[in-house]
Amino acid sequence: MMEEQPVSTILTTLHATDADSTISEYQLIDGDSDNGSEFFEINNVTGLIRTKSRIDYETVKLIKFNVSVTDTGVPQLTSTAQIFVNVININDNSPQFNETEYQLNVNENAVKGTSIGFVYAHDADEGEFGIIKYSLVGEQSQHFEINENTGEIFVSNASALDRERQAEIMFSVVAIDHGLPIDERRSTTTNVIVKVWDENDETPSFRQHSYYASIAENLSLNPPATILQVQADDKDEDEAGTVKYTILSGNDDNSFMLDANSGILYPATSLMGRKGQYKLRVEARDGIGSGPHTDFAEIIIDVIEVNQHRPMFIMPALSNATVEIQENLAIKDYLVLTVKAEDADNGDNGKISYHLQVNNENVQETETFEINSISGELRLKRELNKKQQSRFEIVLVARDHGVPTNFQQLRFLTILIVDNNEGNPEFPDGSNPYRFYVTENGERDERIGKIQAIAHDSGREKESHAIYYYILLGNVNGSFYIDKITGDVFTNKSLDREMADMYTLYILASKKSDLHISESEIFDLSVENLERNSTVAKVWIQVHDINDCAPEFEQEIYYAGVNKKSRQGELIAIINATDRDFGVNASIEYLIAASYLYKFGAVKSTGNIVPSPFSISQDGRLTTNTYMSEYNQDRFELEIQAKEVQPPERITVAKVFIWIYEPEQLVRVILSRPPSEVQSERDEILVELTNVTKKHIIIDDIRYHVDNVGRMRMDWTDLLFHAVDIKTKTIVPIYEILTDIDAKYDFLKDYYSGFAIENVVPAYIPNLNSEFDIALAAIVALLIVLFVGAISFIVLCCCLKNWVISIPSETRRKDALIKKQIIDDLNTTENPLWIEQKLKIYEEQELTMKIFAEPSEFQLPIAENSSIRQHNGITQNLLGMETPPTPLIDTYNGSDAGGDLDTNYATILNYSNNNNNNSNISSSSSNHHNNSALANNSRNTNNTINLIDADYQTLRNTRVPPLFEFNGSTFQVQQNDQTSDYIGELM
């Protein structure tokens, strides 16, 4: 039965028969695992089975139940049948997405084929009806494609992904099942919203590339006045679209500053006296100032000179001053006062002329007074009489010549005609200025000292209680006050010598008890005039120091590097600490409290090294205390103490991190600027290198540049540094640093230009030529040794060549007799066996002697055509062995006086007993140089040489041959004595 059929759909009708009765009723019965009653009902009479609820294949696939039938007989009998209903699946469920709407993200400029996410739908149907295919619909779906099986969405049109043009793209995904027929397939649609994430692909653009402003030289500096604002737009968002502004050039004297965020241009310093035109080149860079995209604009600023300042009176100093003239001096042309004013403007704007003002008009004279417009001298035009008029009030004018507008300043002056003996209180010259002392950190209202003025009245000098005292100038921050009646000076608060160690007070003595001096009047006072005024006391107050300040290091942490080749006493760094106290209270001593060693790559210290490998002098010079080679690639963490010498001996601690490096680990920055300028910009260069490499940069040296040929350039600089990995605390290899710097060249090139950086290279390159020279020198030395050895060997051989073994004559005679006896024994013995034993040592040997002689001392006379018995060209030896034919004696041609020497050979021949003939070979003695011959019985020749009688001796009384040698079994020995014999011994 198909699923999802309407209620009361007929399943089947059961028919039962009974042979002896009729059917009473049908009943539906569920077993333990049956579920038929939930879905079906049966007509008890007809057996018709209908559905009573909806059947869902996805919920139940098989329904089983039992049906019983009962007859009408008595007793009633019952029969049962089991019914199985297979539910047939139909496509009754539509696909359902797991989200009602999908939010996906993709980077703009993503390439084609980039996956942006998945959509997923499920279908409750099973089998083919539950298989889902995905597709995209919508106007903007053409920019994407979807895997119809997995639901993964990809970019198909990368050019459409532009966040600046469209930040969100929306389309729909359709999920359709695989039901049949096709027109009955079910589908579901959901929306997909793709948010295009921004990438930094847009270049900032100035709204205008040329800006102009005209400003006055008196432009406000505090707060700074806005000159103009540059603006650049970047369509990117967030950090990529955040633009920072920078002045690249034209601001050499730092007259202007540009707000990096707003682009507002302000004056950085006073422009007074800087009239002229400025051209600034500004840059807008995206990525919060570190991005790759920039734009440039030009700012032209004209600074116009203006009349900015009003004339300021120096004399009279007070805005309502009083001048007293003794009556006897008030005559015509009497110089009452020299008016003096100054103007901070330049040129005509600062030129001042002096006038008197009457009825708001500037005039040069009145009935009583006249003033010089240039010098400012105020004089009387007539004689004055106190009884007629004792008081005159005039208005002084100081006016500049500013264009287009001018400024003027007024002063009210009261002139009193007084009696000759009447005067104001004055301070005695002997006590003026006054010197007082006070200790810092004291309590308020501490009395410091007292001043006293004297009034001259009626010709008598006396102290007057009617004198009052007022502080005019020098009371910084209200630190003091004075009892206006007694003249006692008190502290108004606790003083700090480190803030101010000296105060100078100007105190006025006056007869007026209620004198009021306004702030503007105090502002106009001139110190120069006050010091010349006898009614004003100058009080010097010096603050004495107490030890209330602890030492302070310039830096809390120092970083340094040490060459592994460093020796004892080499400077590492200068540690500077100061104490704001004065004198002995500011004395500091330096101590190395701890020297913690960290081995290469270690994160934990091996402990404090005692004694420390470093030392520090009392002027803060940190130096090595030992050789550093044993600590190569390690690092130290030093705790440096700055301790007061005076109680309470406060201590301040700074840390110094030191890396031990090899020279080959340094990087050299070559700058086309002298070292003094590079030193002044050291910190800025350090920051830029740190930002680029993301490593901790430690500058090891700044020195004059040395080029490749060893020449020093005083106008160039070599800056040496090494880099430390922030995480591992180890020195970074050079190639990593150079790779990072090269990778950011486009970003750094502007800084290269600004800092005049010419190149960044390894500091030390291994000298291959030097190594080659050493190897070559070793080879040359070896060759020399071999050559000397060869020469020595040759010399030794030459020496051995001339070395002669001398055999005493007595020994030779004995040897000859012994040999003769042996031969005689051989001749007289008839037993052949005995002869064989005697001559056993000579078996299988060819006995040959090589004879050397000089023709001048040796000549063997032999008969012509003498020969040795031969058998078929083969010579027989004593044992009857055959040897190749060898000449026994070579003849010499010459006389006693000399001749050519030939080498002669003698061979022991066979002694034949069978023929009863003896073949004898004899040689002449040294006393007989007669004819010699060989005798042979078979040939009956005369002149024979008997070998046996000669006792194996050859050619006596010969000269020393040039060398000795072994030849076969013959050994020839050289003699020193020219008349000695030569003996050939059998080996």
Side-chain angles (χ1 to χ4, degrees):
M1 184 177 189
M2 290 186 180
E3 64 170 329
E4 302 295 342
Q5 297 299 315
V7 176
S8 298
T9 299
I10 297 174
L11 174 64
T12 186
T13 301
L14 299 180
H15 297 279
T17 59
D18 193 315
D20 56 2
S21 64
T22 61
I23 300 303
S24 173
E25 65 176 350
Y26 297 90
Q27 288 185 348
L28 191 149
I29 305 172
D30 283 337
D32 294 337
S33 59
D34 296 342
N35 54 356
S37 61
E38 180 182 350
F39 301 101
F40 297 99
E41 62 182 3
I42 190 171
N43 188 302
N44 294 337
V45 177
T46 64
L48 180 66
I49 300 176
R50 299 174 181 270
T51 59
K52 69 175 185 178
S53 63
R54 187 179 67 85
I55 300 174
D56 186 5
Y57 174 83
E58 287 70 34
T59 303
V60 58
K61 297 177 177 56
L62 176 65
I63 303 173
K64 62 180 180 177
F65 54 90
N66 294 322
V67 176
S68 67
V69 58
T70 305
D71 61 11
T72 57
V74 178
Q76 288 185 325
L77 300 177
T78 301
S79 180
T80 61
Q82 191 172 24
I83 297 177
F84 295 89
V85 180
N86 288 319
V87 180
I88 300 173
N89 185 27
I90 64 173
N91 190 10
D92 60 333
N93 292 295
S94 297
Q96 298 293 325
F97 285 98
N98 59 348
E99 295 184 20
T100 58
E101 184 177 82
Y102 287 87
Q103 299 281 345
L104 302 179
N105 302 307
V106 63
N107 290 328
E108 67 172 329
N109 302 332
V111 299
K112 181 179 180 180
T114 301
S115 175
I116 66 173
F118 290 84
V119 296
Y120 177 73
H122 66 278
D123 194 317
D125 293 320
E126 293 189 359
E128 291 290 330
F129 300 141
I131 297 175
I132 298 175
K133 300 289 185 181
Y134 301 95
S135 61
L136 302 179
V137 295
E139 181 180 353
Q140 296 177 329
S141 63
Q142 58 184 339
H143 306 316
F144 301 91
E145 58 186 14
I146 189 170
N147 187 309
E148 65 177 5
N149 296 316
T150 64
E152 185 176 9
I153 301 176
F154 302 91
V155 175
S156 63
N157 183 13
S159 62
L161 301 179
D162 187 353
R163 190 207 62 81
E164 290 72 32
R165 187 172 57 190
Q166 186 174 6
E168 286 186 352
I169 300 175
M170 187 172 67
F171 54 86
S172 298
V173 178
V174 177
I176 185 170
D177 61 21
H178 210 256
L180 293 174
I182 296 176
D183 56 355
E184 293 183 3
R185 290 180 176 177
R186 294 175 175 268
S187 63
T188 304
T189 302
T190 188
N191 292 328
V192 176
I193 298 176
V194 179
K195 184 176 181 181
V196 181
W197 280 350
D198 185 48
E199 289 185 357
N200 192 0
D201 59 342
E202 295 291 334
T203 299
S205 176
F206 277 102
R207 296 183 181 179
Q208 58 187 83
H209 286 81
S210 180
Y211 295 83
Y212 176 80
S214 177
I215 60 175
E217 64 175 352
N218 62 343
L219 196 66
S220 174
L221 186 62
N222 189 18
T226 300
I227 299 176
L228 54 81
Q229 182 179 18
V230 296
Q231 288 181 302
D233 299 317
D234 193 314
K235 295 180 181 180
D236 293 316
E237 63 179 0
D238 298 331
E239 294 184 358
T242 302
V243 178
K244 295 289 186 179
Y245 304 95
T246 308
I247 298 177
L248 296 180
S249 62
N251 193 25
D252 298 334
D253 54 358
N254 297 320
S255 299
F256 305 95
M257 60 180 179
L258 183 65
D259 188 283
N261 298 314
S262 65
I264 297 177
L265 186 68
Y266 301 98
T269 184
S270 175
L271 299 177
M272 293 303 302
R274 299 189 180 187
K275 176 184 177 182
Q277 187 177 82
Y278 295 82
K279 291 183 179 181
L280 308 180
R281 188 169 184 262
V282 297
E283 174 193 71
R285 184 178 291 273
D286 63 6
I288 320 180
S290 60
H293 305 298
T294 61
D295 194 17
F296 305 96
E298 184 181 55
I299 301 176
I300 300 176
I301 301 173
D302 283 329
V303 178
I304 301 174
E305 185 179 13
V306 295
N307 186 16
Q308 179 183 358
H309 300 95
R310 291 177 175 273
M312 303 300 295
F313 274 100
I314 299 175
M315 181 64 67
L318 300 178
S319 60
N320 191 2
T322 301
V323 176
E324 295 180 348
I325 304 175
Q326 294 184 8
E327 185 177 13
N328 61 334
L329 299 177
I331 61 176
K332 183 180 180 181
D333 293 332
Y334 174 76
L335 180 60
V336 179
L337 179 70
T338 299
V339 181
K340 183 66 176 177
E342 61 182 11
D343 194 314
D345 293 317
N346 298 319
D348 289 340
N349 292 331
K351 185 178 180 180
I352 299 174
S353 60
Y354 302 97
H355 311 276
L356 299 174
Q357 191 173 82
V358 178
N359 297 327
N360 294 327
E361 291 185 4
N362 294 338
V363 297
Q364 297 304 124
E365 59 184 29
T366 64
E367 293 181 357
T368 308
F369 302 97
E370 62 180 355
I371 188 170
N372 187 297
S373 62
I374 298 175
S375 65
E377 292 181 348
L378 179 64
R379 295 181 180 273
L380 297 178
K381 286 184 64 178
R382 61 183 179 87
E383 184 178 355
L384 301 180
N385 190 327
K386 179 182 177 182
K387 293 181 180 180
Q388 295 178 355
Q389 186 176 353
S390 61
R391 182 184 182 93
F392 297 88
E393 293 182 351
I394 60 176
V395 178
L396 302 175
V397 179
R399 181 178 64 85
D400 63 23
H401 291 212
V403 177
T405 59
N406 56 62
F407 296 108
Q408 66 181 22
Q409 188 75 13
L410 304 180
R411 270 290 185 268
F412 294 97
L413 180 64
T414 300
I415 301 174
L416 300 177
I417 308 299
V418 297
D419 294 334
N420 297 337
N421 59 355
E422 183 179 357
N424 292 321
E426 295 180 352
F427 289 97
D429 293 339
S431 59
N432 192 10
Y434 293 84
R435 291 175 173 83
F436 299 146
Y437 303 94
V438 62
T439 302
E440 68 171 330
N441 299 339
E443 299 292 333
R444 185 178 182 272
D445 299 326
E446 179 181 352
R447 183 179 180 275
I448 300 174
K450 180 176 182 178
I451 62 174
Q452 189 71 47
I454 298 174
H456 297 275
D457 190 14
S458 301
R460 297 190 307 271
E461 184 176 297
K462 64 178 181 178
E463 294 185 3
S464 174
H465 64 278
I467 298 177
Y468 303 94
Y469 303 94
Y470 303 92
I471 298 177
L472 298 178
L473 292 178
N475 193 14
V476 179
N477 297 325
S479 301
F480 307 94
Y481 68 92
I482 188 170
D483 188 319
K484 66 185 245 181
I485 297 176
T486 64
D488 291 323
V489 180
F490 299 88
T491 59
N492 198 32
K493 62 179 182 178
S494 178
L495 302 179
D496 186 356
R497 190 208 65 82
E498 286 71 38
M499 298 298 296
D501 60 350
M502 175 68 76
Y503 295 87
T504 302
L505 304 181
Y506 292 91
I507 301 176
L508 174 67
S510 175
K511 294 180 179 179
K512 297 181 179 180
S513 61
D514 56 351
L515 178 64
H516 175 71
I517 304 175
S518 65
E519 292 184 1
S520 61
E521 290 177 334
I522 293 176
F523 180 78
D524 294 336
L525 291 177
S526 170
V527 173
E528 182 181 357
N529 292 333
L530 292 179
E531 289 185 346
R532 295 199 302 261
N533 193 340
S534 61
T535 63
V536 176
K538 183 178 182 180
V539 180
W540 287 338
I541 301 175
Q542 184 173 352
V543 182
H544 284 175
D545 182 59
I546 63 173
N547 193 5
D548 61 341
C549 293
E552 296 178 357
F553 283 97
E554 284 186 353
Q555 302 173 217
E556 293 183 358
I557 299 177
Y558 292 81
Y559 298 94
V562 180
N563 192 330
K564 75 165 187 177
K565 300 179 181 178
S566 296
R567 300 183 178 181
Q568 185 174 0
E570 293 200 15
L571 179 64
I572 300 172
I574 296 179
I575 312 301
N576 190 20
T578 57
D579 192 317
R580 293 192 300 159
D581 292 317
F582 180 74
V584 294
N585 293 334
S587 299
I588 297 173
E589 62 179 4
Y590 296 95
L591 302 170
I592 298 180
S595 302
Y596 296 107
L597 172 63
Y598 291 81
K599 302 300 288 183
F600 177 75
V603 296
K604 292 185 179 180
S605 171
T606 59
N608 182 20
I609 305 299
V610 179
S612 175
F614 307 94
S615 61
I616 188 169
S617 64
Q618 293 312 305
D619 57 354
R621 294 174 60 86
L622 183 64
T623 59
T624 57
N625 200 29
T626 183
Y627 290 91
M628 291 287 105
S629 57
E630 64 176 298
Y631 302 111
N632 186 22
Q633 303 305 307
D634 298 339
R635 62 185 175 94
F636 285 89
E637 180 180 330
L638 307 185
E639 290 185 1
I640 307 295
Q641 291 184 352
K643 179 182 177 182
E644 292 180 332
V645 176
Q646 296 296 318
E649 297 182 356
R650 298 179 182 87
I651 295 177
T652 303
V653 178
K655 288 189 176 182
V656 181
F657 294 92
I658 302 175
W659 280 264
I660 315 300
Y661 61 80
E662 295 183 353
E664 293 75 12
Q665 292 177 299
L666 298 182
V667 179
R668 178 170 58 149
V669 180
I670 303 174
L671 304 97
S672 57
R673 302 175 67 179
S676 58
E677 295 183 9
V678 175
Q679 190 70 42
S680 64
E681 297 184 355
R682 171 193 178 114
D683 295 338
E684 190 172 354
I685 295 174
L686 187 65
V687 170
E688 293 302 331
L689 290 174
T690 301
N691 292 337
V692 170
T693 61
K694 306 303 180 185
K695 303 292 187 298
H696 192 82
I697 302 299
I698 300 172
I699 296 178
D700 296 294
D701 196 6
I702 296 177
R703 61 194 184 193
Y704 293 116
H705 172 65
V706 178
D707 60 18
N708 295 332
V709 296
R711 294 176 301 183
M712 180 180 292
R713 295 194 58 174
M714 310 293 284
D715 56 341
W716 281 36
T717 302
D718 285 347
L719 183 148
L720 306 182
F721 73 88
H722 69 273
V724 174
D725 189 279
I726 298 175
K727 294 182 179 179
T728 63
K729 307 296 185 184
T730 57
I731 298 177
V732 181
I734 288 181
Y735 71 88
E736 290 188 18
I737 300 301
L738 297 180
T739 300
D740 291 340
I741 293 176
D742 292 343
K744 297 181 175 62
Y745 174 77
D746 291 338
F747 171 71
L748 287 174
K749 59 184 180 181
D750 293 332
Y751 292 100
Y752 278 17
S753 176
F755 294 130
I757 296 176
E758 302 296 333
N759 203 354
V760 181
V761 296
Y764 297 96
I765 300 175
N767 192 348
L768 299 179
N769 293 332
S770 176
E771 293 181 2
F772 177 78
D773 292 341
I774 294 174
L776 181 61
I779 293 173
V780 171
L782 180 59
L783 292 176
I784 292 173
V785 171
L786 293 176
F787 177 75
V788 172
I791 296 298
S792 301
F793 179 78
I794 293 173
V795 172
L796 180 60
C797 291
C798 292
C799 292
L800 291 176
K801 175 180 178 182
N802 297 319
W803 178 43
V804 176
I805 302 175
S806 177
I807 301 175
S809 299
E810 186 67 26
T811 303
R812 290 199 297 273
R813 293 190 187 96
K814 291 180 181 180
D815 291 343
L817 292 175
I818 293 171
K819 293 177 181 180
K820 184 176 183 302
Q821 183 64 38
I822 293 172
I823 298 302
D824 290 342
D825 292 342
L826 292 174
N827 291 336
T828 59
T829 303
E830 296 178 357
N831 188 350
L833 297 177
W834 184 89
I835 295 174
E836 183 178 1
Q837 292 297 323
K838 289 288 185 177
L839 300 177
K840 186 175 182 180
I841 61 174
Y842 308 114
E843 288 181 3
E844 299 178 357
Q845 295 188 29
E846 179 182 0
L847 305 178
T848 305
M849 293 181 294
K850 186 174 184 181
I851 310 303
F852 297 87
E854 291 289 337
S856 62
E857 298 186 26
F858 173 73
Q859 184 176 14
L860 182 63
I862 302 176
E864 295 182 0
N865 301 324
S866 63
S867 61
I868 300 174
R869 182 165 57 109
Q870 299 181 352
H871 299 278
N872 297 327
I874 299 176
T875 304
Q876 294 182 345
N877 59 22
L878 289 175
L879 301 180
M881 299 180 65
E882 295 181 350
T883 60
T886 304
L888 177 62
I889 298 174
D890 292 340
T891 61
Y892 289 84
N893 296 322
S895 63
D896 295 339
D900 295 331
L901 173 65
D902 290 335
T903 304
N904 297 275
Y905 292 84
T907 304
I908 299 176
L909 301 178
N910 184 25
Y911 183 78
S912 177
N913 290 326
N914 296 330
N915 297 327
N916 294 320
N917 296 323
N918 293 329
S919 297
N920 298 323
I921 302 174
S922 61
S923 63
S924 63
S925 64
S926 61
N927 297 324
H928 298 88
H929 297 284
N930 299 322
N931 295 332
S932 299
L934 295 173
N936 189 292
N937 292 331
S938 61
R939 293 189 178 185
N940 296 320
T941 60
N942 300 322
N943 302 330
T944 63
I945 300 175
N946 193 328
L947 178 64
I948 297 175
D949 292 340
D951 295 330
Y952 298 91
Q953 299 182 42
T954 60
L955 302 179
R956 303 170 66 87
N957 296 327
T958 62
R959 292 182 61 187
V960 179
L963 53 82
F964 67 92
E965 62 176 298
F966 289 93
N967 190 345
S969 59
T970 301
F971 177 68
Q972 291 121 25
V973 183
Q974 299 174 351
Q975 302 295 326
N976 289 329
D977 189 0
Q978 293 183 355
T979 62
S980 62
D981 297 334
Y982 286 84
I983 300 174
E985 295 187 29
L986 295 175
M987 301 298 296

